[in-house]
């Protein structure tokens, strides 16, 4: 069965391709939210976050609690977004080191980015993910009912 949008059947779709770093960052900037994966107490935890990009780093608000404690114990972190439209799907992962932002000047700048948490709890702390790597993949979706 052929896809009426792109003419690609399930078997005839082009292979997935790697996104360039610029393509990855453009998708991160446009994504409404992402997820962080952090390690603590012999477990991996995943947290949804609203985020922004500041000076080549992913930044997000948080509150004192599990997430912030985990990030101070084990600084290695992964940040992930994904998305799709009618024709394609993608995924982007940033691996890096997390640090709590403590400089008043940096906090003022980050507050100016307009990042608001979707959760109703107050998120008065900032975390910066200093990237070690960024990678992404994109692929064509199969035709509906294919």
């Amino acid at each position: 069965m052929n896809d009426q949008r792109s003419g690609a059947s399930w078997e005839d779709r082009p292979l997935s391709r790697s996104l360039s770093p610029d393509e990855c960052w453009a998708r991160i900037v446009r994504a409404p939210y992402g997820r962080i994966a952090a390690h603590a107490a012999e477990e991996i935890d995943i947290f949804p976050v609203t985020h922004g990009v500041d000076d080549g780093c992913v930044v997000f608000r948080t509150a004192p609690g599990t997430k912030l404690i985990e990030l101070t114990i084990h600084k290695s972190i992964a940040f992930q977004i994904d998305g799709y439209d009618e024709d394609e799907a993608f995924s982007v992962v940033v691996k890096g080191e997390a640090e709590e932002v403590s400089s008043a000047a940096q906090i003022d700048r980050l507050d100016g980015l307009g990042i608001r948490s979707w959760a109703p709890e107050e998120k008065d702390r900032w975390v910066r993910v200093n990237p070690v790597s960024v990678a992404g993949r994109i692929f064509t979706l199969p035709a509906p009912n294919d």
Side-chain angles (χ1 to χ4, degrees), residues 21-105:
D22 286 343
E23 289 175 305
C24 290
W25 285 109
R27 281 173 169 73
I28 292 168
V29 167
R30 290 192 310 263
Y33 66 91
R35 288 167 289 284
I36 59 165
H39 180 265
E42 303 302 320
E43 292 188 16
I44 304 286
D45 282 327
I46 298 173
F47 303 95
V49 295
T50 50
H51 66 281
V53 174
D54 178 62
D55 197 23
C57 297
V58 174
V59 294
F60 60 90
R61 290 178 176 275
T62 191
T66 304
K67 187 183 333 165
L68 193 56
I69 291 169
E70 287 185 16
L71 296 175
T72 59
I73 295 171
H74 296 283
K75 294 187 180 292
S76 292
I77 188 173
F79 171 83
Q80 188 263 342
I81 61 156
D82 52 28
Y84 66 95
D85 60 22
E86 290 182 358
D87 300 317
E88 296 180 313
F90 68 90
S91 181
V92 175
V93 175
V94 176
K95 294 179 182 176
E97 300 287 318
E99 67 173 329
E100 184 176 1
V101 177
S102 57
S103 158

Side-chain angles (χ1 to χ4, degrees), residues 8-26:
S9 71
W10 184 276
E11 296 84 12
D12 296 331
R13 293 179 298 152
L15 297 175
S16 62
R17 72 171 178 85
S18 295
L19 295 170
S20 71
D22 286 343
E23 289 175 305
C24 290
W25 285 109

